[in-house]
Amino acid sequence: MTLRRQFDLLPVDREFLEEYELPWETIVDGSQWVLIHDFPTPHGYNHARVTAAIRIETGYPNTELNMVYFFPALARIDGKPIGATEAQQPLDGKSYQRWSRHRTGVNPWKIGRDHLGTHVILIEDWLEREFEKCPLA
């Protein structure tokens, strides 16, 4: 697989992705996107690995990153619904599942501290927390 680099990342983001050790790409498809391939999901989902897409918002890093988009779409193996994941995002010739997740007042985006890496850690937390609020049957 040839990994595309259609735009440059901030040094902190590139360093994070290199240390994260998963294949990644930067693409432009209406917006700038980072695709992280072979992204692992916790036990309980229908796919062990997916591609996670993160839209780089205009104004980033002074503008927060939010949400994540997965391909293929994730579902719980116990059939319980995952809230706020119904919307689809056409991206790179595929249909990605949008996880509408956002920071809160308790965990706001902090300019100068937060970056792509802290957002990826938050995505990992969102995937785990899905089962904390509603454990596998």
Side-chain angles (χ1 to χ4, degrees), residues 91-132:
L91 177 62
D92 202 29
K94 300 176 178 88
S95 185
Y96 279 69
Q97 175 192 44
R98 182 181 78 190
W99 279 49
S100 184
R101 306 289 188 273
H102 308 275
R103 290 178 173 268
T104 65
V106 175
N107 184 23
W109 181 266
K110 293 187 180 171
I111 296 170
R113 184 200 78 185
D114 285 310
H115 54 86
L116 181 67
T118 59
H119 189 65
V120 169
I121 301 306
L122 192 56
I123 292 166
E124 292 173 345
D125 187 54
W126 292 334
L127 289 168
E128 290 284 347
R129 277 193 290 160
E130 174 59 31
F131 294 103
E132 289 174 11

Side-chain angles (χ1 to χ4, degrees), residues 50-69:
V50 293
T51 296
I54 301 163
R55 182 174 40 225
I56 303 301
E57 302 294 340
T58 301
Y60 170 79
N62 296 328
T63 301
E64 70 180 83
L65 301 176
N66 64 56
M67 299 196 281
V68 64
Y69 304 77

Side-chain angles (χ1 to χ4, degrees), residues 80-92:
K80 291 180 182 174
I82 303 171
T85 61
E86 300 80 15
Q88 298 293 310
Q89 172 70 43
L91 177 62
D92 202 29

